Amino acid sequence: MMELARLPLVGEVVEEGLKSGLSTLIRCNPLVDGSIFTYQLCYAWLNEGNPVIYYVNNKRTDIVVEDFKRYGWDVGKPLEERKLIFIDAYSAILGLTSSEPYVVKDAFNLKQISETLVKAVREVEGRKLLVVDSLSTLLDYFETEVLGYVTSWNKLAPVYGFVPLYLFTDWGYGPEIKDKLIELCDNVIDMRALEKSVVATEVFTVQKLAGKPVEKPVVPFKYVRPGGLKIYIPKILITGPYHAGKTTVVHALSTRAVSVQRGETTVALDFGHLEYKGFSADLFGTIGQQRFDPILEQLGGESVGVILVVDSTKPETFPRALEMLRKARVYGLPTVVFANKQDLPGALSPEEVKERMKLPPEVPVIGTVATRKDRIIEGLEILLKQIFGK
Ligand SMILES: Nc1nc2c(ncn2[C@@H]2O[C@H](COP(=O)(O)OP(=O)(O)O)[C@@H](O)[C@H]2O)c(=O)[nH]1
Ligand SMILES: [Mg+2]
């Protein structure tokens, strides 16, 4: 759970939620696929050496295994070692036989389903995650009758040492179902799509943690293959005066980067994309020259955080650097200043840069050498902390 545990909100779900809570509801609107995140939690759980019991009633178990693989999580070994154990409630619907350890022969018999679940959690040893994929399908078949079973499974959880995780897609159930589910579960995670102009952003948040209602920020995410759920930062703006090292920084941070050259030489827009420790971010570099200032505001729009790059040997450009922040309308957003070119003689120290720029005390200034990638990643981590406050 190492990487997951460090992510904002996801970390709380894992640390305070899954580990201490009795039951977790992953509630998705139909535009968002919660199963990938569920697989990711399963994989992390397995990696800690604990077993996962996976009840599935809406797809074949080999499809689940393939999906795991598509995101980079090879579960061959856990399957072989009986750490990942399926309860197959789907094959029977298709009239197929199943070779999984647990099979529900009559998928339309809720009592039989429950008995099979309980048998599995009793027989499998260790601290188990019991995934119910999906609760919505159960509700479609059995309606409110399911709620009584959820209640009893949650009650059994501490008795048999398992943690129930319900995957629930909200296809428009009534409040008698929706509200009751929130009441029944200790952790409630919401995943939904935000429509913002034409681009929909997928976000998630937590409504309830370890039994208590909580108010948490909405965190954007993206599914990446391989890797699964990543915290998504749609825009980090990299700005600063001409020749300060912006292009070099975008390239140093990017897993993929393109520079769009226009005209002869100097005009270049830099776009980069970054995958880092569970984060996925798009980077937008600006142009330094004053005559392109009209574009600055457009580029700055919807930025989530800013890296301001300055040449530490050129204090005369510092006022221009601050002006760029204002023109891009990103002044006041989470910002880190890269006091770049620390390798050159006469470079001002980060402290001196901070003083000369008269930056607010909370804005961190860090000495970098972009050409050598010195302290670039550290700067990024500081920015992520500024953005997510963690
Ligand atoms: N010595 C030194 N040169 C750097 C550093 N960062 C960038 N440069 C050089 O400075 C010049 C301008 O860099 P560039 O990234 O194109 O600046 P931009 O105009 O802000 O995009 C290039 O020749 C870079 O190789 C640094 O940390 N140290
Ligand atoms: Mg450039």
Side-chain angles (χ1 to χ4, degrees):
M1 301 249 175
M2 287 296 288
E3 184 174 282
L4 280 182
R6 275 199 301 265
L7 295 180
L9 218 48
V10 177
E12 291 171 61
V13 168
V14 171
E15 292 299 326
E16 295 172 40
L18 275 191
K19 285 191 177 169
S20 66
L22 298 174
S23 54
T24 298
L25 181 72
I26 297 185
R27 197 172 76 152
C28 306
N29 86 357
L31 292 176
V32 178
D33 181 3
S35 60
I36 309 302
F37 185 43
T38 304
Y39 300 151
Q40 192 166 359
L41 291 171
C42 289
Y43 191 69
W45 193 272
L46 289 167
N47 261 343
E48 299 224 316
N50 296 319
V52 171
I53 301 174
Y54 202 106
Y55 165 86
V56 59
N57 58 13
N58 55 8
K59 53 198 164 256
R60 293 198 335 246
T61 54
D62 55 330
I63 298 291
V64 176
V65 171
E66 251 171 53
D67 260 353
F68 266 100
K69 279 206 188 111
R70 280 199 306 141
Y71 283 89
W73 306 310
D74 189 352
V75 290
K77 204 158 163 246
L79 278 170
E80 211 174 279
E81 292 174 348
R82 291 263 170 132
K83 287 279 188 190
L84 174 60
I85 300 128
F86 280 108
I87 303 176
D88 183 352
Y90 184 71
S91 297
I93 299 174
L94 302 184
L96 301 170
T97 52
S98 171
S99 55
E100 299 301 345
Y102 297 94
V103 182
V104 177
K105 296 219 173 63
D106 181 359
F108 299 99
N109 182 336
L110 187 52
K111 192 160 165 273
Q112 191 184 102
I113 292 168
S114 182
E115 280 166 3
T116 315
L117 288 185
V118 173
K119 185 168 189 285
V121 295
R122 287 175 70 161
E123 287 177 356
V124 174
E125 285 179 15
R127 191 168 155 69
K128 298 140 282 202
L129 186 68
L130 171 70
V131 178
V132 175
D133 178 5
S134 77
L135 191 59
S136 341
T137 305
L138 282 178
L139 286 161
D140 294 339
Y141 291 162
F142 309 107
E143 301 181 347
T144 48
E145 202 191 339
V146 177
L147 299 171
Y149 281 91
V150 170
T151 310
S152 70
W153 298 332
N154 289 354
K155 279 206 186 112
L156 285 179
V159 180
Y160 295 119
F162 69 97
V163 176
L165 177 71
Y166 303 101
L167 189 55
F168 172 66
T169 304
D170 189 350
W171 296 103
Y173 301 94
E176 75 285 1
I177 287 179
K178 282 202 275 205
D179 295 350
K180 189 71 187 167
L181 282 177
I182 293 171
E183 192 188 310
L184 286 179
C185 294
D186 295 297
N187 310 303
V188 179
I189 297 160
D190 254 328
M191 301 180 97
R192 55 178 188 261
L194 290 183
E195 293 234 14
K196 224 179 183 186
S197 59
V198 278
V199 193
T201 311
E202 290 172 311
V203 297
F204 84 102
T205 189
V206 178
Q207 278 202 353
K208 215 171 150 184
L209 212 51
K212 288 185 216 72
V214 289
E215 264 191 49
K216 294 287 179 186
V218 162
V219 174
F221 74 92
K222 211 178 181 174
Y223 286 133
V224 174
R225 243 166 52 197
L229 181 138
K230 304 273 173 179
I231 304 295
Y232 178 53
I233 305 165
K235 192 187 256 187
I236 294 179
L237 192 73
I238 291 143
T239 191
Y242 174 66
H243 224 58
K246 300 176 295 293
T247 300
T248 315
V249 167
V250 171
H251 284 260
L253 283 174
S254 298
T255 21
R256 295 195 302 274
V258 277
S259 292
V260 184
Q261 298 276 349
R262 290 261 158 72
E264 290 107 68
T265 48
T266 46
V267 185
L269 280 180
D270 303 305
F271 300 105
H273 181 79
L274 161 83
E275 297 288 333
Y276 178 71
K277 288 192 180 168
F279 291 89
S280 173
D282 288 324
L283 310 173
F284 291 71
T286 72
I287 310 166
Q289 291 97 320
Q290 233 128 1
R291 65 192 149 109
F292 295 107
D293 280 2
I295 313 176
L296 254 182
E297 189 179 325
Q298 258 173 302
L299 270 175
E302 297 182 356
S303 295
V304 178
V306 180
I307 296 173
L308 179 64
V309 186
V310 296
D311 181 337
S312 308
T313 68
K314 292 204 166 64
E316 65 277 16
T317 64
F318 294 174
R320 168 67 184 153
L322 294 170
E323 183 189 55
M324 290 185 80
L325 287 186
R326 283 191 295 268
K327 288 209 164 152
R329 298 185 189 262
V330 293
Y331 202 90
L333 283 181
T335 300
V336 173
V337 176
F338 283 10
N340 197 34
K341 307 200 184 181
Q342 285 293 314
D343 57 319
L344 292 184
L348 297 173
S349 72
E351 295 72 31
E352 286 169 317
V353 170
K354 182 161 188 166
E355 209 187 295
R356 294 260 195 136
M357 291 187 84
K358 299 195 176 56
L359 289 163
E362 69 274 13
V363 176
V365 180
I366 166 166
T368 58
V369 184
T371 38
R372 295 201 304 242
K373 301 195 183 187
D374 276 6
R375 304 195 68 200
I376 296 292
I377 289 292
E378 200 183 323
L380 171 74
E381 290 200 341
I382 293 171
L383 180 64
L384 293 175
K385 277 195 193 121
Q386 298 272 99
I387 295 173
F388 293 104
K390 212 186 163 190

